[in-house]
């Protein structure tokens, strides 16, 4: 059984979907802990499933590196097989990437390499494209530049707002994320090759 730590910053709706999937007896992975860089609303989903949580509050550290060292210490406590960034809105320090990649994956609300960064949905709308997408990638030292594990196109509709477009992207992200975690757990997807 693949053990998974999920890191979030916000509402954790994608986390919720992964928790729902992982609660099915036949799903080959289990979420063992949920961490965040702040008091994230998404902790409520972990609590609803009785999953432990930890917080490493970014604002309380003098540097990104110091924050990353504490994040590493927390992850060491749980020693998951896989770390999933599901809406963690922080760039990870190089030491965290070095310690966990390629067992460190991220969901992103755009069709990478298009529109990387913190505002993938807003940037796609601003660019006036007619389609964007959702991606699941391995985290590397760049900003959303790692190997792509799964992605899918999503149309931008006339009148879309950042919110309406993001809400259409998220269900696709959830499906891709759940499928990637399942394929990693079964060995169908080998992150080390
Ligand atoms: C998701 O769309 C995720 O891809 C995005 O934040 C959202 C979190 O939603 N992450 C990024 O943009 C990272 N660059 P959620 O908290 O409802 O799951």
């Amino acid at each position: 059984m693949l053990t998974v730590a999920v890191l979030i910053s916000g509402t954790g709706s994608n986390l919720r979907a992964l928790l729902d999937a992982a609660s099915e007896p036949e799903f080959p992975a289990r979420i063992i802990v949920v961490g965040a860089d702040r008091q994230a609303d998404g902790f409520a989903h972990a609590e609803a499933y009785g999953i432990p949580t930890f917080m490493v509050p970014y604002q309380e550290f003098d540097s990104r590196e110091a924050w990353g060292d504490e994040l590493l210490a927390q992850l060491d406590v749980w020693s998951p097989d896989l770390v999933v960034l599901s809406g963690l809105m922080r760039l990870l320090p190089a030491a965290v990437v070095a310690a966990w990649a390629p067992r460190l994956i991220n969901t992103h609300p755009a069709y990478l390499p298009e529109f990387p960064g913190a505002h993938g949905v807003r940037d796609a709308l601003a660019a006036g494209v007619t389609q964007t997408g959702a991606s699941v990638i391995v985290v590397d030292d760049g900003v959303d530049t790692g190997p792509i594990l799964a992605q899918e196109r999503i149309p931008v509709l006339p009148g879309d707002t950042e919110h309406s477009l993001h809400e259409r992207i998220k269900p696709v992200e959830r499906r891709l994320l759940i499928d990637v975690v399942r394929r990693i757990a079964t060995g169908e997807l080998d992150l080390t090759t």
Side-chain angles (χ1 to χ4, degrees):
M1 186 70 74
L2 188 89
T3 57
V4 181
V6 183
L7 302 182
I8 62 170
S9 291
T11 56
S13 63
N14 291 353
L15 159 70
R16 176 71 192 213
L18 192 55
L19 283 164
D20 290 346
S23 72
E24 297 294 330
E26 67 275 14
F27 195 78
R30 290 287 172 265
I31 298 175
I32 57 167
V33 70
V34 173
D37 63 330
R38 64 193 79 178
Q39 187 54 54
D41 290 346
F43 276 148
H45 301 306
E47 284 152 15
Y49 272 101
I51 308 280
T53 60
F54 68 81
M55 181 169 59
V56 185
Y58 187 83
Q59 303 300 350
E60 289 180 17
F61 290 83
D62 290 338
S63 65
R64 179 185 309 280
E65 286 66 33
W67 172 75
D69 288 346
E70 179 56 26
L71 183 62
L72 275 178
Q74 291 293 327
L75 290 173
D76 271 354
V77 169
W78 297 95
S79 291
D81 297 317
L82 179 73
V83 178
V84 174
L85 310 186
S86 185
L88 180 76
M89 301 309 278
R90 297 281 172 204
L91 209 54
L92 290 178
V96 177
V97 177
W100 283 93
R103 296 177 300 136
L104 177 62
I105 68 173
N106 184 30
T107 66
H108 185 74
Y111 199 86
L112 291 168
E114 300 168 5
F115 310 115
H119 305 292
V121 182
R122 190 186 307 172
D123 293 347
L125 267 183
V129 293
T130 57
Q131 53 177 3
T132 180
S135 306
V136 179
I137 62 170
V138 175
V139 177
D140 70 2
D141 277 327
V143 178
D144 299 322
T145 50
I148 292 165
L149 300 173
Q151 62 184 169
E152 196 169 307
R153 283 290 187 190
I154 294 150
V156 179
L157 302 180
D160 255 340
T161 61
E162 185 177 352
H163 179 75
S164 67
L165 180 54
H166 204 168
E167 287 306 304
R168 254 193 356 277
I169 290 171
K170 280 185 180 183
V172 179
E173 272 188 87
R174 290 170 196 146
R175 179 163 43 73
L176 295 180
L177 176 62
I178 290 166
D179 191 53
V180 164
V181 170
R182 186 189 56 73
R183 286 192 289 134
I184 292 170
T186 59
E188 202 181 314
L189 189 55
D190 184 358
L191 295 177
T192 59
T193 56

